[in-house]
Amino acid sequence: MACPVQFICRGVRTVGLILFYYVFSIGITFYNKWLMKGFHYPLFMTLVHLSIIFCLAAVTRWAMHCWTGKPRVVLSWTDYLHKVSPTALATVLDIGLSNWSFLFITISLYTMTKSSAVLFILFFSLIFKLEEPNPFLILVVLLISCGLFMFTFESTQFNLEGFLMVLLASFIGGIRWTLTQVLMQKAELGLQNPIDAMFHLQPIMFIGLFPLFLYNEGLSLSTSEKLFRSTELSPLLYSLFTLSLGGGLAFGLGFSEFLLVSRTSSLTLSISGIFKIKAHLYGSWLARARSWSCRCCGRAETSPPTSTTQRNTRSTCTDQQAASPRGTAEGPEPQREPITTPLMRF
């Protein structure tokens, strides 16, 4: 009896972790797309988010130390450079390329391309022996990826530059989450807590992304009126507020991702992300279908009468003219167009 209860408790815990991850994942996706419409500096945005995540992780570690009285783990420089830096560099490249791609592609094309990440995660998990070779598991992953690709194939606006960015991000993402699982499930490192892992990863991520930011956005951002050359205080405060809001979402997303990986596996995280994306795309498809049907109904209400309706209208007018004495003496009255009220279009 203990085994079924333990299995149910484990399943409930996993579902709760996945739902917790969904909240921040959906929020950060729409936040990035919304912010990129008016703030075209995705790498700078990522740097700000990394700084906010590091500060929040440091404050949380201090609060946990004060609450428990136990010192938090601090890695040596040897372990930090050899075991943490590869994961940090892979993470920053994955995040930076993904955010950068939103300048060129739609969410549908991003989703279609990013769905290949689960294949790379499975590939590297088999290489690092985190997953046992299982034909059924491989078949399920292939079917999920192919189904998501075909679901979004017809509704995309292809852009080669953005497509290559997301494809490279998917490949690096496979390395990222495999190394993250190895890092967090090694007891000797003591990074099982997501806060400790985030605290150690952010500095190298910032250093790794900063040269790419200087090359692509440094000059344009320094002459932009969004931040450094702002002449009014309110736009500057608005930009800082929106960036800080995204930093809070990024902290929650990183915490939920690391928590899910440490308790389950990187493959579980990737597959749950794919189900979230499919649900989002299905909802978007339903919204578009409803909008299209409303427009069709509006056109039908405002469409001109058919030939049969025109003949019936003419015969009715002729009978009225014949019964009216004014119709024979003064000629037929001018026809009036039928009044129609179109439906509201959404």
Side-chain angles (χ1 to χ4, degrees):
M1 187 66 182
C3 291
V5 173
Q6 185 179 5
F7 178 78
I8 292 174
C9 293
R10 185 178 179 182
V12 171
R13 185 191 65 178
T14 303
V15 172
L17 292 174
I18 291 174
L19 294 177
F20 182 61
Y21 157 71
Y22 280 173
V23 172
F24 295 101
S25 180
I26 294 174
I28 200 71
T29 299
F30 284 99
Y31 166 84
N32 287 337
K33 194 62 181 178
W34 167 74
L35 187 65
M36 289 299 103
K37 292 180 180 179
F39 191 84
H40 303 291
Y41 303 101
L43 299 181
F44 176 77
M45 177 195 70
T46 306
L47 288 177
V48 174
H49 290 177
L50 294 177
S51 303
I52 294 175
I53 292 172
F54 177 77
C55 294
L56 292 177
V59 171
T60 307
R61 278 166 55 92
W62 173 80
M64 294 171 66
H65 172 67
C66 294
W67 179 263
T68 61
K70 298 179 180 178
R72 307 305 303 175
V73 61
V74 178
L75 297 180
S76 63
W77 280 106
T78 303
D79 291 337
Y80 190 68
L81 294 178
H82 288 83
K83 298 179 180 179
V84 176
S85 58
T87 306
L89 293 177
T91 302
V92 74
L93 288 176
D94 181 17
I95 296 174
L97 290 172
S98 298
N99 291 341
W100 198 359
S101 67
F102 279 110
L103 293 176
F104 306 96
I105 61 176
T106 61
I107 292 182
S108 297
L109 181 56
Y110 173 84
T111 301
M112 180 185 72
T113 312
K114 196 68 174 180
S115 63
S116 61
V118 66
L119 301 177
F120 295 117
I121 290 176
L122 178 62
F123 174 73
F124 287 110
S125 296
L126 294 175
I127 290 180
F128 286 92
K129 297 182 179 180
L130 299 176
E131 299 286 346
E132 295 294 333
N134 188 343
F136 179 74
L137 178 62
I138 296 175
L139 178 62
V140 168
V141 170
L142 288 175
L143 289 177
I144 291 174
S145 300
C146 294
L148 185 60
F149 179 87
M150 290 186 292
F151 186 80
T152 57
F153 179 74
E154 295 295 337
S155 60
T156 59
Q157 299 175 0
F158 186 78
N159 181 281
L160 180 61
E161 189 173 0
F163 171 76
L164 293 177
M165 285 183 183
V166 183
L167 188 62
L168 182 59
S170 299
F171 178 79
I172 298 176
I175 303 175
R176 166 196 176 185
W177 288 116
T178 304
L179 293 178
T180 300
Q181 182 177 350
V182 173
L183 185 69
M184 298 190 68
Q185 293 182 354
K186 278 189 175 181
E188 62 269 17
L189 293 178
L191 296 180
Q192 291 86 356
N193 192 303
I195 299 297
D196 294 328
M198 294 165 64
F199 176 80
H200 285 85
L201 286 172
Q202 306 311 307
I204 298 183
M205 292 170 62
F206 188 95
I207 295 173
L209 188 62
F210 191 74
L212 188 62
F213 156 73
L214 288 179
Y215 176 76
N216 289 280
E217 301 176 1
L219 182 61
S220 59
L221 182 63
S222 62
T223 58
S224 173
E225 295 183 356
K226 293 285 185 180
L227 288 175
F228 296 106
R229 295 191 63 186
S230 178
T231 57
E232 298 181 2
L233 183 60
S234 56
L236 177 61
L237 293 178
Y238 178 75
S239 298
L240 295 177
F241 172 75
T242 54
L243 291 173
S244 302
L245 178 63
L249 289 174
F251 177 80
L253 176 62
F255 179 79
S256 61
E257 288 175 337
F258 287 142
L259 188 63
L260 183 58
V261 170
S262 63
R263 298 297 185 270
T264 57
S265 66
S266 57
L267 194 61
T268 302
L269 172 67
S270 180
I271 293 177
S272 61
I274 284 182
F275 278 104
K276 180 262 301 183
I277 292 172
K278 291 183 72 173
H280 161 67
L281 290 176
Y282 184 70
S284 300
W285 179 80
L286 286 179
R288 288 196 300 267
R290 180 178 180 274
S291 176
W292 178 79
S293 62
C294 290
R295 290 173 183 172
C296 289
C297 291
R299 293 193 187 98
E301 289 288 335
T302 56
S303 59
T306 59
S307 57
T308 306
T309 307
Q310 289 176 349
R311 287 195 298 268
N312 294 336
T313 303
R314 293 195 190 99
S315 61
T316 304
C317 293
T318 303
D319 295 339
Q320 291 177 353
Q321 292 163 9
S324 174
R326 188 178 58 176
T328 55
E330 298 178 1
E333 292 183 353
Q335 281 188 343
R336 295 180 181 178
E337 293 292 334
I339 300 176
T340 57
T341 304
L343 294 177
M344 184 180 293
R345 299 185 181 182
F346 297 93

